[in-house]
Amino acid sequence: MAHAHESNTKRIWVVFGILSFITIVEVYLGIIKPEALHLHGPGTSWLNWIFIILTLAKAYGIAWVFMHLEGEKKWFRRSIVWTAVFLVTYLVTLLLIEGGYLFDTLAPLVNW
Amino acid sequence: MEANIAVPTDKKETWGGGNARPFGASYGKMMMWFFILSDALTFSGFLAAYGLTRFKFIDSWPIADEVFTHVPFVHGDFPMIYVAIMTFILIFSSVTMVLAVDAGHQMKKNKVAWYMFATIIGGIIFVGSQAWEWGTFIKGSYGAVKTTEGKVLQFVKDGKQIALADFVVGPRTDVREQHTRKNGLWFQSEGTIATYSVDQVVNAYKANPAIQVRTELIDLEKKQKTILSREEGAAQLAKTKMVVEGANLKVNEYGNTIFADFFFFITGFHGFHVLSGIIINIIIFFNVILGTYEKRGHYEMVEKVGLYWHFVDLVWVFVFTFFYLV
């Protein structure tokens, strides 16, 4: 509550502008799907990496500014963010590896 | 209130009175954050399960921008546009929410009330849009057939998908009628039957050489669905079991049924969060108008409900990416 009485209105609108801009870029790329980005890339396509990174950037903007994590005590912030990041990374890594394995095992059995 | 609480001098009961609050946050705010953390993990579980299933069917998963192409009141093909508009609405309502919190810090009651009101309106528009999106998805756009092997076959003309109604002529020919409750011996009705019979669709395909069959299989070189030759298409169509129009928990004209299941489950669970957020916002809105927080001396309650509202926005950002974009 360090910033209890000062107004952050201008900053809020700037962040809104950034979030909107990122969304527009995402949708634009999602519609035109440039071939160089859509069909190539490490692991998944470059386009998917761009979407994921932009999403994390948006999440950062919402959590830090709108949810005011930047103003909380450092270890309060970390108790929330680190917990989520660690558990989500762990779960997603395991499940995606497992999903890939299921595909490798089952796909040859499907007769197209 | 303060007068009734004994203020401990040894600061043992840090949440009971004194100024040394853990992490410098109030009890309510901290618990809201830890609830949000656990809810975020729930949503991660859903999205990770979606990821697993998608990887499992990576060569036949529906392509999202071929599924979500509709905009209300406008006719035509606009992939992603409406979902993007919905995202804007939700981000904007997040902005009005944070402005309400900001006005609360300055103890401006009227401003808080108006910004809360705008937030509620934004939320209602979003939930309405989601309901519309569900309706469109359930109704379907083109229609398809399903084979005995459980594969969905769609129809294309000049490389573009076309609706059954565009090449199947006339009403249903096999005299099959909707069975209603009043006609049955056991007073049981049946689900809506398809507009066309299987034979009708197959014959229409045979009669029109411009029509081709598209399978769910994705050509990984081009990231597009495979279009079969006329002969291959006829061979696949010979295995047709049923005509599919729209999507539900059992069949899905866009492809894998489990895609529809995840769509209903994930956007439904998120929509439920938005709905509960709106209800909580309305309660807080009336408290603001009644002057509850003015009397209390601070607007922390607006801040706490704001956290929940931003979280709902945050989740949508991820759902938008992983369901619609990636």
Side-chain angles (χ1 to χ4, degrees), chain B residues 210-250:
Chain B
I211 309 291
Q212 281 178 292
V213 166
R214 190 170 80 157
T215 69
E216 291 174 72
L217 184 66
I218 294 174
D219 177 356
L220 289 173
E221 293 289 307
K222 294 188 214 134
K223 297 209 175 163
Q224 278 165 1
K225 300 276 177 181
T226 315
I227 296 174
L228 299 178
S229 70
R230 285 282 296 170
E231 295 74 38
E232 287 170 332
Q236 287 293 324
L237 276 178
K239 290 183 273 185
T240 302
K241 183 179 69 178
M242 64 185 292
V243 176
V244 185
E245 289 166 306
N248 53 49
L249 294 173
K250 288 183 195 146

Side-chain angles (χ1 to χ4, degrees), chain A residues 8-42:
Chain A
N8 290 313
T9 320
K10 189 165 169 255
R11 181 126 194 280
I12 292 164
W13 286 110
V14 170
V15 173
F16 173 63
I18 295 170
L19 294 179
S20 304
F21 178 72
I22 293 178
T23 308
I24 290 169
V25 171
E26 282 181 337
V27 173
Y28 177 72
L29 285 176
I31 291 171
I32 62 161
K33 289 187 176 173
E35 274 200 5
L37 297 176
H38 186 49
L39 301 181
H40 311 279

Side-chain angles (χ1 to χ4, degrees), chain B residues 8-37:
Chain B
T9 47
D10 56 356
K11 291 184 178 171
K12 265 182 192 160
E13 290 181 66
T14 40
W15 271 322
N19 289 322
R21 298 181 301 181
F23 292 140
S26 71
Y27 179 79
K29 193 161 141 185
M30 178 183 282
M31 289 307 134
M32 179 53 95
W33 263 114
F34 289 152
F35 162 69
I36 285 172
L37 177 63

Side-chain angles (χ1 to χ4, degrees), chain A residues 41-60:
Chain A
T44 179
S45 66
W46 286 113
L47 203 56
N48 285 354
W49 284 116
I50 293 173
F51 289 147
I52 290 166
I53 290 163
L54 289 179
T55 301
L56 292 176
K58 275 207 277 191
Y60 175 82

